[in-house]
Amino acid sequence: MGFTKQEIRKWTDEHPLMEDLLDLKPVVWLNPKRRDMGHVQGLPVTIDDLEEAEQLWLRFAPYLMKVFPETTETGGIIESELQEAGRMQKQLEAYYGEQLPGKLYVKCDNELPVAGSVKARGGFFEVLRYAETLALEEGLVTRKDSYEWFATEEAKTFFGGHSVGVGSTGNLGLSIGIISAELGFKVSVYMSADAKEWKKELLRKKGVRVVEFSGDFSEAVTAGREETLRLPNGYFVDDEKSRELFLGYSVAALRLKQQLEQQEVQVDEEHPLFVYLPCGVGGAPGGIAFGLRHMFGDHVHPVFIEPTHSPAVLLGLMTGLKSGISVQDIGIDNRTEADGLAVGRASSFASASSEQLISGIATVEDEELFPLLAMLKDSEGIKVEPSAAAGFAGPFMMAATNYAEEHGIDPGKAAHIVWLTGGALVPEEETADFYARGLEKLGQ
C-alpha cells in the first residue's frame, strides 16, 4: 500500500515515538486507549465464550491423553507451569544495572506438551473445534460420548476427506500440522521465508505438506487462504482474523488464575500483576490479554513485546489504522531473528480488543534476545528460542516510564510474569548456537 512522506511526517509530529520507531530504536508506547473493564465496549468475544472454550478442552481431554501420552500427567490438559524466577531476576538486575521491585515469574509455554509453544493453545483449539463441528454435524459423535472416538480409524477416515491449511512463520504451523495430521486431516502449512528449516522438516516427517514462500508472513497467509478455500472441503486457520485461535489462547488466563492462587500470589488493587507477552500478529498475546483482563480486571497490566524490525501491532495501534498499515509501508524491513514475531501487519480481529485492554507495547533489538536467552539458561536452566526471551526486557522498560506513578502503583508490591512462548522442540545444535551468541554478547 505505502504511505506518502507527508503522511509519515504527520504521524511523526503526532507521535513522538515514530521517529525512533523508524530508526529501529527500542521504544515503549503506553496505550492511551486502555479502558477500565467497566467501560470496555464492543469486544468480539465474551466471558461466556471463554468459559465455553474451556469446556471444549475438557471434552477433548480423553482424546489428547490417548494420542499424546505426555499429557496424561495433566489429565489431557495442554498446560504449562508458572515458576518463580528469582535467580533470573538477580541476573537481569545486574545486566540492566537497575533493581526490579516486586517478584519475577515465568510462564513456561516453551514446555507446553506436544507442540512446545504458546501456539498449541490456539492452534490445537481451532482444529479440535472444527473436528468436533464436522463430527457432530454428521452424527458421528455426541457431546455426551467419550471423545476417545476421535482417535479411531473411523474418525481418521472421515477427516481424511477434509483439508486444513494455515499460513505461518513457524510455531503456529507446527501446532496446526501436528494436531491436524493426528486427527487424519490432509494438512498444508504455508510458510514464510522467516520460518526455520528444522520446523519445516519436523512437519514433513509428520506427513504435513509444507509450501514455502520467499515473502513474509502476510504473503504466506494470503496465498494459503486462497488455495485452501478453493478446495471442496477446505478449512483455513486464519491467524490474521481467527476468532477460534483467539479463544484458545484466552483460556490460559483461567489456568493462570488457579496457579497464582495455588502459589498464594495476590492480584488486587494493592498487588498489581504485569504480564509481558511476545507479540507477532497479535492473536496469541491478544487472546491471553483478553482472558487476563476478564480474570483480574483493572489489576492486571498486559504489555506486548515486539522486535524493533517488526513492530506491527505497535504501529497499527499507535496510528489507529490497526491492520490497515504494515511496517513495510513506512520502510521498516520486517527482518528479525525472532522468527515467530516476524510479522509486518497486525491481526484485524485481535487489534480491536487489544486497543482497549493492553497497557502498552515495548520493542527490543534482536541482539538483546541472545544475552537474555543465555542468562535464563544459566540462572533457571530453561531453554527457549530467541522470540521467547523478548519479554525479559519488558519490566525494566516499563519501569523507566511514569506508568506506575500514573496508575497509583507501588512497584514493590507488583508481580511480573514473562510469558515464555516457545523452545522445547528447538534442535540441540540451534539451542547451543543461540546460547553461544548470548555468551559472546555478555563477554563470556
Side-chain angles (χ1 to χ4, degrees), residues 347-366:
S347 161
S348 57
F349 185 92
S351 295
S353 62
S354 295
E355 183 175 48
Q356 300 182 67
L357 299 176
I358 70 169
S359 296
I361 303 176
T363 63
V364 61
E365 293 177 306
D366 276 12

Side-chain angles (χ1 to χ4, degrees), residues 36-51:
D36 294 341
M37 284 305 288
H39 295 96
V40 169
Q41 297 176 340
L43 294 183
V45 290
T46 68
I47 187 66
D48 290 340
D49 295 323
L50 189 157
E51 289 170 353

Side-chain angles (χ1 to χ4, degrees), residues 82-94 96 98-108 260 263 265 272-276 372 375-376 379-380 382 388-396 411-420:
L82 175 69
Q83 179 177 321
E84 190 172 342
R87 293 183 296 274
M88 181 61 170
Q89 184 169 348
K90 286 185 173 63
Q91 287 219 14
L92 289 168
E93 289 172 340
Y96 287 112
E98 299 284 348
Q99 292 296 301
L100 177 64
K103 279 191 174 181
L104 180 69
Y105 299 81
V106 288
K107 187 73 171 87
C108 299
L260 288 167
Q263 296 189 31
V265 179
L273 174 65
F274 286 81
V275 182
Y276 305 91
L372 296 172
M375 284 189 283
L376 181 63
S379 61
E380 306 290 347
I382 295 174
F392 287 109
F396 295 87
K413 295 182 178 178
H416 302 271
I417 297 176
V418 172
W419 213 283
L420 304 180

Side-chain angles (χ1 to χ4, degrees), residues 79-85 103-107 252-268 271-275 288 291-293 295-297 299-301 413-419:
E79 196 43 73
S80 70
E81 291 186 4
L82 175 69
Q83 179 177 321
E84 190 172 342
K103 279 191 174 181
L104 180 69
Y105 299 81
V106 288
K107 187 73 171 87
L254 291 171
R255 315 262 179 77
L256 179 63
K257 187 172 188 292
Q258 296 168 359
Q259 291 175 323
L260 288 167
E261 289 170 352
Q262 288 165 2
Q263 296 189 31
E264 298 183 345
V265 179
Q266 287 180 267
V267 181
D268 52 34
H271 303 88
L273 174 65
F274 286 81
V275 182
I288 293 169
L292 290 170
R293 289 298 303 275
M295 291 297 102
F296 302 108
H299 310 315
V300 66
H301 305 270
K413 295 182 178 178
H416 302 271
I417 297 176
V418 172
W419 213 283

Side-chain angles (χ1 to χ4, degrees), residues 282-350:
I288 293 169
F290 166 81
L292 290 170
R293 289 298 303 275
H294 274 292
M295 291 297 102
F296 302 108
D298 301 331
H299 310 315
V300 66
H301 305 270
V303 179
F304 293 175
I305 313 292
E306 296 186 291
T308 54
H309 285 253
S310 304
V313 178
L314 193 163
L315 182 64
L317 294 187
M318 186 172 72
T319 61
L321 295 173
K322 302 184 183 72
S323 63
I325 187 171
S326 74
V327 300
Q328 293 96 329
D329 289 336
I330 62 168
I332 298 178
D333 61 10
N334 191 33
R335 304 293 293 178
T336 173
E337 294 274 5
D339 61 310
L341 310 183
V343 176
R345 188 182 304 275
S347 161
S348 57
F349 185 92

Side-chain angles (χ1 to χ4, degrees), residues 115-129:
S117 86
V118 67
K119 298 295 186 177
R121 296 183 184 276
F124 276 36
F125 178 84
E126 178 150 359
V127 175
L128 292 174
R129 167 69 66 85

Side-chain angles (χ1 to χ4, degrees), residues 149-181:
W149 174 84
F150 285 86
T152 65
E153 285 305 312
E154 179 189 12
K156 290 194 174 190
T157 299
F158 171 66
F159 294 126
H162 297 77
S163 299
V164 172
V166 64
S168 176
T169 58
N171 285 340
L172 181 63
L174 278 178
S175 69
I176 298 293
I178 289 169
I179 190 64
S180 297

